Amino acid sequence: MRVRKLTLAAMALAAGLSLTACQNDDGTDQSAAPPAASTASSSNGGSGSAGSDQEGGTDSAGKTPNGTGDTSGSGGTGGSGGSAEDGKAAKCRTDELEITAMDATVGGDTEGTVAVDLKNGGGRDCTLAGYAGVDLKTNTGTLSAERTGEEASPVVLKDGENVTFGITYPINNTGGSGVRITGLVVTPPNETKSVTLDWPGGASLPASDEPGSPVKVGPMGSAGQGG
């Protein structure tokens, strides 16, 4: 009886060893095989969060906006290439422009004129399209200039080139102190970052209760003596 039990046990052990050998004949354990590698890829070239402004230039430059820390990617429009995806020059950023203002009033004019010059110092071609934002700081608060309504054609500035626009305002010849001007704030077209300049024109505007702003701003390229 004891011999029979030992024989059965030996047969069971041999069967188990035979089964184990069959499971590992190919030398691999399927349960330990690595997963298939992912083949997904981005169709936009990996531009990431930088993105691009359809009008030329990244938004968070911003964005800016004016204020601007430019985070354009290699495929963006605000990089050193200076070209938008449609082949046009990207918009000019405030930080790329040297902005100055001078008195351009001609003797005998019924209105005063200030010429604002924007020079491209960004090392690339860029575009200014439309009107700049213009605000006068006064002793009674901020006064925003109104657009003249003239056609505002895009202006492409090569590095080192400049363009000028005009600001017209009524001359205070009333004999009164009027509204005292303390500064000029200029915001380039399609930008949110501004620069503050000394006001080079007449020291004050005549006080008025009439609706609307007495100060007018022309489009890019509208400057010249007399506005």
Side-chain angles (χ1 to χ4, degrees):
M1 189 69 176
R2 180 177 179 83
V3 172
R4 184 179 181 183
K5 289 182 177 180
L6 290 174
T7 302
L8 290 174
M11 291 175 64
L13 177 60
L17 292 174
S18 176
L19 179 60
T20 302
C22 290
Q23 289 177 337
N24 293 286
D25 283 345
D26 60 357
T28 60
D29 183 355
Q30 295 299 323
S31 63
S38 172
T39 57
S41 63
S42 173
S43 61
N44 61 7
S47 58
S49 62
S52 64
D53 182 347
Q54 294 300 316
E55 294 182 0
T58 59
D59 181 47
S60 64
K63 240 32 197 6
T64 164
N66 343 288
T68 57
D70 195 342
T71 58
S72 57
S74 60
T77 58
S80 60
S83 296
E85 291 180 0
D86 58 3
K88 297 179 180 179
K91 71 179 180 182
C92 299
R93 299 288 189 182
T94 302
D95 290 338
E96 298 174 316
L97 298 170
E98 299 174 24
I99 304 176
T100 56
M102 66 179 67
D103 184 12
T105 305
V106 176
D109 282 355
T110 58
E111 290 184 309
T113 301
V114 165
V116 179
D117 187 82
L118 296 87
K119 182 178 180 180
N120 179 12
R124 64 184 180 95
D125 295 356
C126 65
T127 302
L128 290 169
Y131 286 75
V134 170
D135 298 291
L136 301 187
K137 292 184 175 182
T138 76
N139 61 325
T140 61
T142 300
L143 177 64
S144 297
E146 292 183 354
R147 298 176 179 181
T148 61
E150 298 172 70
E151 182 179 355
S153 300
V155 177
V156 177
L157 293 182
K158 294 185 180 298
D159 185 38
E161 291 185 344
N162 66 293
V163 66
T164 308
F165 69 87
I167 302 170
T168 58
Y169 62 94
I171 297 174
N172 184 18
N173 53 14
T174 63
S177 59
V179 178
R180 183 166 54 88
I181 304 173
T182 59
L184 169 63
V185 180
V186 176
T187 309
N190 300 313
E191 277 288 87
T192 56
K193 185 175 183 179
S194 305
V195 295
T196 300
L197 308 171
D198 292 333
W199 173 251
S204 64
L205 304 174
S208 175
D209 294 329
E210 295 182 6
S213 175
V215 182
K216 308 294 181 184
V217 56
M220 292 295 128
S222 65
Q225 292 187 333

